[in-house]
Amino acid sequence: MKLIRFRPYKKYTDEKLISHIQEAFRKIRCYENLEENMVICDEMIYEAKIRNLKCGKETLYKNILEGDGL
């Protein structure tokens, strides 16, 4: 029997998906609804792996500099 996995973030654009993943990481670092955000983040990372997405250095630097320093 084949396992079918529900992909709730399938319709997101690549940029939107990366942005939401980074937002979920920020919430996890602040311990906001930790378990719920970890599940959401796991689903988004799974989707990113299926698409073979990579985040460029410019995006990472921008998020680090604009971040809250955590």
Side-chain angles (χ1 to χ4, degrees), residues 18-65:
I18 289 172
S19 173
H20 277 81
I21 289 171
Q22 292 167 344
E23 182 64 31
F25 278 130
R26 282 189 207 103
K27 289 180 180 178
I28 289 171
R29 285 188 297 209
C30 295
Y31 298 102
E32 295 178 24
N33 300 327
L34 189 59
E35 289 181 27
E36 179 183 337
N37 284 320
M38 289 178 76
V39 170
I40 291 170
C41 192
D42 182 51
E43 291 172 354
M44 287 190 281
I45 289 172
Y46 178 77
E47 182 67 31
K49 285 184 175 185
I50 288 174
R51 297 184 193 187
N52 198 22
L53 291 181
K54 298 191 181 356
C55 187
K57 288 183 181 180
E58 293 175 2
T59 305
L60 288 174
Y61 295 151
K62 183 181 80 169
N63 287 322
I64 290 169
L65 294 175

